[in-house]
Amino acid sequence: MYRYEGNLKDLEDAVVLISFPKEAFGVPSALRAFICTDAAIATQEILDSYLVRWSIEVFFRQAKQKLALDRYQIRSALGIRRFWILMSTAHLFSCIASGQFLPFHDGFSAMQKSIEIERISFIYHCGHSGIPLADVLAFAC
């Protein structure tokens, strides 16, 4: 663990903690950096705060990458609340849709695979039943 205290671009008196696990020292993907804007806080307290927040940070990253949190353009408070409810429900559904509780990434991947299988099955059954492609495309769009 290395602790730096001082100016950091536009932040005065910030703290940067840089950490490598002993068994992974020098492995770039194992590097962890934590930033705090209050230099009076002890190193362990900063780490404990990040530990509590980590699942929240992971949720926001997943919501941005998979659920378009960073791309919505809603301006009304009601619209924003509704979007949050839909996004949170989609996140929860991804975790439980398989009938067991899965981490979001695994559940989301399983859900995408299931949707793709349903899509292919639909197209196959339409073809097998002699439904013209134009009708299948009209239904899909």
Side-chain angles (χ1 to χ4, degrees), residues 4-64:
Y4 164 81
E5 290 183 34
N7 294 340
L8 184 66
K9 198 169 179 175
D10 295 331
L11 299 175
E12 291 184 24
D13 207 22
V15 174
V16 178
L17 301 176
I18 298 175
S19 169
F20 270 111
K22 287 181 183 179
E23 63 277 359
F25 185 75
V27 178
S29 62
L31 173 69
R32 298 290 180 258
F34 306 94
I35 299 173
C36 180
T37 57
D38 186 353
I41 298 177
T43 298
Q44 190 60 49
E45 189 176 349
I46 293 170
L47 295 175
D48 290 344
S49 295
Y50 270 92
L51 183 64
V52 170
R53 278 203 51 88
W54 193 249
S55 60
I56 297 168
E57 298 296 333
V58 170
F59 170 80
F60 276 102
R61 184 180 67 231
Q62 292 169 338
K64 287 177 183 179

Side-chain angles (χ1 to χ4, degrees), residues 42-134:
T43 298
Q44 190 60 49
E45 189 176 349
I46 293 170
L47 295 175
D48 290 344
S49 295
Y50 270 92
L51 183 64
V52 170
R53 278 203 51 88
W54 193 249
S55 60
I56 297 168
E57 298 296 333
V58 170
F59 170 80
F60 276 102
R61 184 180 67 231
Q62 292 169 338
K64 287 177 183 179
Q65 291 175 343
K66 302 292 185 182
L67 302 176
L69 174 63
D70 58 343
R71 292 188 295 274
Y72 75 95
Q73 296 182 6
I74 302 169
R75 295 192 177 149
S76 72
L78 179 60
I80 292 169
R81 281 194 298 271
R82 287 176 177 165
F83 180 80
W84 270 97
I85 290 169
L86 288 172
M87 189 196 58
S88 298
T89 303
H91 190 279
L92 175 65
F93 186 74
S94 296
C95 294
I96 63 172
S98 68
Q100 60 186 11
F101 189 79
L102 296 174
F104 173 78
H105 182 268
D106 296 338
F108 189 82
S109 294
M111 193 169 55
Q112 281 183 313
K113 185 177 180 179
S114 177
I115 291 169
E116 189 62 25
I117 289 170
E118 288 293 324
R119 181 179 295 139
I120 291 168
S121 295
F122 170 75
I123 293 168
Y124 172 81
H125 289 297
C126 287
H128 188 68
S129 301
I131 298 172
L133 179 60

